[in-house]
Amino acid sequence: MRFSAQLKLGVIALAVSTFSLGAAAKDFLNVSYDPTRELYEAVNKDFGKYWESRTGQKINFKQSHGGSGKQARAVIDGLDADVVTLALAADIDVIAEKTKILPKDWQKKLPNNATPYTSTIVFLVRKGNPKAIKDWGDLVKPGVGIITPNPKTSGGARWNYLAAWAWAKHQAGGNDAKAQEFVRQIYKNTKVLDSGARGATTTFAERGIGDVLLAWENEAYLALREQPGKFEIVTPSLSILAEPPVAIAEKNAEKKGNKYLAQGYLNFLYSPRGQQLAAENFYRPRNEKTLAQYRHVFKPLKLVTIDQEFGGWDKVQKAHFDNGGIFDQIVKTNNGK
């Protein structure tokens, strides 16, 4: 990977610069979105050993998880994050705008627009796929029960919504009006709108509600691993390139004496070991060599991007998810108001 050697040296340099901090454990808070618990538990374990071996400093890692939009608001309201690792750039943008604890150009601080791994949206269905769900169009058939989180609180839910919209627009004769009607039908068939992706998975996998879960790819694979023989993954013909970004909450980290630690932590995500941990937890690594080793897991599919398809997150958020936006209009229509 182009940045690996550079980032590895950066982590070491930062570690050496903090050696004088000694062995006292430092509290370190990563505020993240719903399905990253397992990933960051693995990252914390490996990075903690790495950091201590070079600095003598132990880290007391703390994790906070929830719907990405809800987590962003918690940081805005004072949750003392050292780093934020959220589901989409719009949620970190609003933190930068509302709090000034990180700069507006935060995406320029790390490679790939501060996105060390990617994901996409797939369908999780019950074993045998009893409703014969093969692509997005099958989701709006009568009698199909959908589980997806609420776009108002969940970043994953916004990716779900936009992937469905993009698929509809790419059909013959597709346009925004037809896409909006298609997405309306999806929410008409939705049984539960949980606040976050992990809650939606629990509703589908443990409570047994619904026929199909619109899921992060990594979340779907975790369900297969944790409950073998109960589910199948359906990869649609078209989905969206989901890019969950990371950033240092700079003013918080500086205040707590964690600036170098936070930089090293995020750099580690781009390192060969960090990339491997991403793949092992079913995120698509940016490192092409690592990705190639997991081609048996990550099926190729047509992926659209936010910038090309929708003109970027700022435009998307205002048009679709702000109060009174298209999602609110869809909900109002479905409720007969």
Side-chain angles (χ1 to χ4, degrees):
M1 178 171 152
R2 179 181 171 187
F3 295 96
S4 294
Q6 173 188 343
L7 288 167
K8 187 175 181 181
L9 289 172
V11 174
I12 294 171
L14 290 169
V16 170
S17 72
T18 60
F19 187 85
S20 61
L21 291 174
K26 294 283 290 183
D27 287 338
F28 182 83
L29 176 58
N30 176 3
V31 175
S32 196
Y33 65 107
D34 243 356
T36 59
R37 291 167 174 82
E38 295 80 6
L39 169 63
Y40 283 109
E41 285 171 4
V43 167
N44 293 347
K45 182 179 178 181
D46 275 32
F47 177 76
K49 290 178 180 177
Y50 170 83
W51 191 260
E52 186 177 359
S53 73
R54 284 159 174 77
T55 68
Q57 183 182 69
K58 295 181 182 292
I59 308 301
N60 179 24
F61 292 103
K62 297 181 179 180
Q63 297 176 210
S64 173
H65 297 274
S68 187
K70 189 176 180 180
Q71 292 292 83
R73 283 190 288 275
V75 174
I76 291 168
D77 290 340
L79 184 59
D80 202 15
D82 290 287
V83 296
V84 287
T85 57
L86 297 179
L88 41 87
D91 286 334
I92 301 182
D93 282 339
V94 75
I95 295 172
E97 178 185 348
K98 299 290 187 181
T99 71
K100 315 301 182 186
I101 63 172
L102 69 162
K104 290 187 176 181
D105 66 348
W106 60 269
Q107 281 194 288
K108 296 179 181 179
K109 304 290 185 178
L110 288 165
N112 304 120
N113 287 323
T115 306
Y117 44 78
T118 69
S119 190
T120 189
I121 302 305
V122 298
F123 309 151
L124 188 68
V125 299
R126 305 199 184 279
K127 189 68 176 179
N129 195 4
K131 294 296 178 77
I133 294 167
K134 301 296 183 184
D135 210 344
W136 289 98
D138 298 320
L139 300 181
V140 299
K141 291 178 179 178
V144 174
I146 299 169
I147 302 298
T148 181
N150 190 332
K152 288 291 192 175
T153 54
S154 167
R158 277 171 272 176
W159 289 116
N160 294 348
Y161 172 110
L162 295 170
W165 188 288
W167 179 86
K169 277 195 71 174
H170 280 254
Q171 302 313 294
N175 56 39
D176 282 326
K178 291 180 179 179
Q180 181 169 336
E181 173 58 22
F182 176 72
V183 173
R184 186 194 70 78
Q185 292 178 52
I186 281 184
Y187 286 99
K188 193 72 173 178
N189 275 4
T190 296
K191 299 299 183 185
V192 179
L193 280 176
D194 287 287
S195 63
R198 184 55 57 88
T201 302
T202 299
T203 295
F204 180 78
E206 297 182 16
R207 296 174 62 197
I209 299 174
D211 303 298
V212 56
L213 171 70
L214 307 190
W216 289 98
E217 184 176 47
N218 69 287
E219 191 78 346
Y221 275 107
L222 282 175
L224 292 191
R225 186 173 71 185
E226 293 176 3
Q227 298 188 52
K230 293 187 65 175
F231 308 110
E232 299 176 9
I233 293 175
V234 174
T235 301
S237 62
L238 178 147
S239 196
I240 199 158
L241 178 65
E243 297 180 292
V246 301
I248 300 172
E250 294 185 7
K251 287 189 177 179
N252 290 350
E254 288 175 1
K255 178 183 65 178
K256 296 157 69 176
N258 287 345
K259 178 181 178 182
Y260 293 121
L261 171 59
Q263 186 67 61
Y265 185 80
L266 296 188
N267 283 354
F268 181 78
L269 300 176
Y270 291 86
S271 72
R273 180 56 181 160
Q275 291 289 285
Q276 183 182 356
L277 289 173
E280 290 175 358
N281 285 275
F282 307 113
Y283 290 87
R284 297 186 178 216
R286 290 288 195 178
N287 186 308
E288 290 296 332
K289 289 183 179 179
T290 307
L291 181 60
Q293 296 171 7
Y294 288 84
R295 286 297 184 192
H296 63 289
V297 176
F298 302 116
K299 294 182 179 180
L301 73 162
K302 183 177 181 180
L303 295 173
V304 300
T305 70
I306 287 293
D307 288 345
Q308 293 174 347
E309 196 74 18
F310 296 97
W313 270 114
D314 185 58
K315 185 176 180 180
V316 166
Q317 185 66 31
K318 290 175 181 176
H320 292 269
F321 305 121
D322 277 358
N323 290 337
I326 294 172
F327 175 71
D328 284 352
Q329 295 168 29
I330 285 170
V331 170
K332 185 180 292 185
T333 301
N334 282 345
N335 290 338
K337 296 179 180 179

